[in-house]
Amino acid sequence: MSRYWIFSACFLLSTILCAAPGTLSIKNLPSSAVEDNPVCFDGASGQLGNCPTYDTIVEIPVNCNSQTIQDAVYDAIPHGWIQLNITGVCNEDVYLSRSRVVLQGADASAEIVGQTSEPTLGVFNGANNIHIRDMKISGAGEGVLASRGAVVSIKDSTIQPDSGYYGVLAMYGSVISLFGGNAVTVLGDSSAVSAVDNSTILIRDSNTLTSSASAGSYLPTVEAHRGSTIRINDTQTITNTEYASGGYALSSTYNSAVSQDKGFVTITGLINSYNLSSIDLLDASITGDADVDMLSNLRYRDEDKYTGSEYGQHATI
């Protein structure tokens, strides 16, 4: 994570100086949010809830053969909704600190290819209502990073960064919603989906999440870490291709929680719940062992589909 300190210098001084009250303590959705809808942030109330309809939105065509996404964002109106209809391959890193932006792939050619070791698409400083639709994100750097209270949704997109980089990463009280049919694939020692430092990731509809992290890296395909929450619903496939040699697929560590409320999840790889954390699975097919320490919990409510062996003080299979 050290490469992100340049984006978080103010966080080292004081989180109070960097974000509005409450943006760094988001952990669960309010009861007013509908689980199957995208999640947005209401600047007036300071709460998460359902996204508004796009009553007024300015559409901006971006042809990456001659334009850049970053320039289009800078040149757009400073307030209100903008939708960038993107065609072609955009060889750039994109950084957003404004709200109400839709990055819409206008055809199959729409792709952002990262050029540096920094995130290909970074959303920072409480920017909310950021929507990524029908896009491909690849190249150097993490695929999508939401940091310091950002709220992002990703739908029907393909995210495949270069080897060793995370696919989707929420940090410092941020929220990411994966819905529709996303494919997130990472190579080398990294995670496809990661929520850290009091962040939340919602995984819904039908997503395919794949990693190839080695057992010795202890990096799972999907992880909740340091006070974070991941909620999994509907039909999901979570795979670590190195599971036969001990690769992790799902992990909840350091006061975090992973839960499944409905649907069916196929998990291939080890499961780990560690240090005051929990994993609660409703209906899943699991190929791999479960490792649970004495301060954590794993609950799996359909033991007939579990083919591994559990060890630890509080594993309930």
Side-chain angles (χ1 to χ4, degrees):
M1 303 297 181
S2 59
R3 63 175 69 99
Y4 301 114
W5 288 119
I6 62 172
F7 295 110
S8 306
C10 61
F11 182 83
L12 294 175
L13 297 175
S14 171
T15 56
I16 296 175
L17 297 178
C18 302
T23 58
L24 296 180
S25 60
I26 296 169
K27 189 169 182 180
N28 296 302
L29 288 174
S31 58
S32 61
V34 177
E35 179 65 25
D36 290 329
N37 290 339
V39 177
C40 290
F41 183 78
D42 185 341
S45 67
Q47 299 295 319
L48 291 173
N50 298 322
C51 295
T53 57
Y54 300 163
D55 294 329
T56 302
I57 186 167
V58 177
E59 297 194 26
I60 303 169
V62 179
N63 183 340
C64 284
N65 293 322
S66 58
Q67 300 170 287
T68 69
I69 296 171
Q70 197 71 69
D71 285 345
V73 172
Y74 286 154
D75 293 342
I77 57 173
H79 304 289
W81 285 95
I82 61 171
Q83 176 173 312
L84 307 186
N85 296 322
I86 300 165
T87 56
V89 178
C90 311
N91 294 299
E92 59 178 312
D93 296 333
V94 179
Y95 304 111
L96 300 175
S97 57
R98 63 163 289 167
S99 299
R100 297 180 291 278
V101 177
V102 181
L103 302 182
Q104 174 68 56
D107 61 26
S109 71
E111 181 176 1
I112 307 173
V113 180
Q115 301 297 295
T116 72
S117 60
E118 304 305 334
T120 298
L121 176 58
V123 185
F124 303 98
N125 298 333
N128 63 86
N129 300 349
I130 306 299
H131 303 278
I132 303 164
R133 302 287 184 270
D134 302 304
M135 292 292 301
K136 182 176 181 181
I137 297 174
S138 63
E142 266 60 45
V144 177
L145 168 69
S147 182
R148 298 205 301 269
V151 181
V152 178
S153 74
I154 306 170
K155 181 181 181 183
D156 296 333
S157 295
T158 299
I159 300 172
Q160 187 169 351
D162 289 350
S163 180
Y165 292 101
Y166 285 65
V168 174
L169 176 60
M171 301 176 66
Y172 302 136
S174 296
V175 178
I176 294 178
S177 175
L178 293 170
F179 69 106
N182 296 289
V184 183
T185 303
V186 296
L187 303 173
D189 289 339
S190 61
S191 295
V193 174
S194 178
V196 300
D197 297 318
N198 300 308
S199 295
T200 298
I201 292 181
L202 313 172
I203 305 174
R204 297 170 295 198
D205 298 329
S206 179
N207 298 274
T208 301
L209 312 174
T210 308
S211 75
S212 57
S214 63
S217 72
Y218 298 101
L219 290 170
T221 308
V222 174
E223 70 167 344
H225 185 53
R226 290 202 298 264
S228 296
T229 300
I230 292 179
R231 294 173 63 177
I232 303 172
N233 286 324
D234 305 315
T235 305
Q236 313 300 335
T237 302
I238 301 172
T239 304
N240 185 326
T241 60
E242 298 297 314
Y243 75 93
S245 58
Y248 286 86
L250 182 63
S251 178
S252 178
T253 56
Y254 291 94
N255 199 32
S256 296
V258 174
S259 65
Q260 176 196 8
D261 299 321
K262 63 179 181 179
F264 184 79
V265 182
T266 301
I267 301 172
T268 304
L270 276 68
I271 298 175
N272 177 36
S273 183
Y274 181 77
N275 202 323
L276 297 173
S277 298
S278 65
I279 296 176
D280 186 359
L281 298 174
L282 174 67
D283 192 6
S285 172
I286 306 171
T287 302
D289 295 337
D291 182 8
V292 186
D293 79 354
M294 67 189 330
L295 300 176
S296 300
N297 288 281
L298 167 64
R299 184 168 67 147
Y300 182 52
R301 289 173 269 174
D302 193 347
E303 64 181 15
D304 293 338
K305 295 188 179 74
Y306 184 75
T307 59
S309 61
E310 70 279 1
Y311 46 97
Q313 297 293 322
H314 290 220
T316 304
I317 301 295

